[in-house]
Amino acid sequence: MRLAKGKEITVLSARELSLKFTGQFLTEDTIVILLSMENYDYPVFKEQDNVLKIEVQDTLMKDSPYAFTAEHGLQVKDFLAKTCFKKLFVCCDSGESRSAALAAAIMVYYGNPDMEIWKNPYFHPNLLVYAAQLKAFGIKCTPLKLKFLHFINNRNFKKAIKGN
């Protein structure tokens, strides 16, 4: 997905990213954000300058000690600000919830519509991650907007199941 002029963003599972870069190193213009509690032993995640790992679970309970918070969002914001990148890979364990939500928020931050994420029936963006990241970016997100995005995502998922 296009992010900004000369920049693109891709949502993948941690395993998919490791397979994509088997035997290769990340280039200087490629960065990775990994949202996971797992300690993946894939070589692609060992390049610390190009990789930001945030240890969070896929939860909607903001009181959970492993929930994504605005403080985590500030880490993402700082990481994006300090790196010159052309390719951004956002990963979580399955590549459909935390990573999709974070990618959607990053798209909004860069001035792009995020409906491509919300309408994709293969993604199920985590509303807590999305709202917290937008907050860290200084972008307002109302509960009504979250309900609407959740509705759009559910509707497209159900359409995909029915084959419409």
Side-chain angles (χ1 to χ4, degrees):
M1 294 170 272
R2 189 176 165 94
L3 187 58
K5 187 174 184 180
K7 296 179 188 280
E8 63 183 63
I9 187 168
T10 304
V11 177
L12 295 169
S13 71
R15 180 167 167 64
E16 287 172 321
L17 184 71
S18 72
L19 292 173
K20 185 175 182 67
F21 284 95
T22 299
Q24 301 177 44
F25 292 100
L26 296 175
T27 59
E28 286 182 10
D29 62 355
T30 303
I31 62 173
V32 173
I33 301 174
L34 172 63
L35 304 174
S36 178
M37 295 293 294
E38 297 294 323
N39 286 320
Y40 290 108
D41 197 28
Y42 304 134
V44 70
F45 296 124
K46 295 188 179 191
E47 301 171 40
Q48 295 302 315
D49 291 343
N50 293 36
V51 178
L52 172 64
K53 182 179 181 197
I54 299 176
E55 293 190 8
V56 293
Q57 290 178 339
D58 191 9
T59 182
L60 296 174
M61 298 182 302
K62 59 181 163 184
D63 294 334
S64 166
Y66 301 109
F68 190 91
T69 65
E71 289 77 28
H72 293 120
L74 290 174
Q75 290 177 14
V76 170
K77 183 179 178 183
D78 292 345
F79 182 68
L80 294 174
K82 75 175 187 171
T83 55
C84 289
F85 68 92
K86 291 184 181 173
K87 293 182 182 178
L88 166 59
F89 292 97
V90 184
C91 305
C92 62
D93 300 322
S94 64
E96 66 182 78
S97 182
R98 287 165 288 177
S99 53
L102 184 61
I106 292 170
M107 290 172 75
V108 170
Y109 181 65
Y110 279 93
N112 294 303
D114 58 353
M115 271 303 149
E116 186 174 354
I117 299 275
W118 295 100
K119 288 183 175 181
N120 187 325
Y122 299 104
F123 294 143
H124 311 287
N126 181 306
L127 296 174
L128 181 62
V129 172
Y130 182 76
Q133 187 60 58
L134 287 180
K135 181 178 181 181
F137 284 144
I139 300 170
K140 186 174 170 103
C141 183
T142 65
L144 184 59
K145 179 180 179 180
L146 289 176
K147 285 181 183 180
F148 172 73
L149 293 172
H150 187 253
F151 169 80
I152 294 292
N153 186 250
N154 273 342
R155 184 187 69 192
N156 284 287
F157 177 68
K158 288 175 184 176
K159 279 184 180 179
I161 289 173
K162 290 180 182 177
N164 296 341

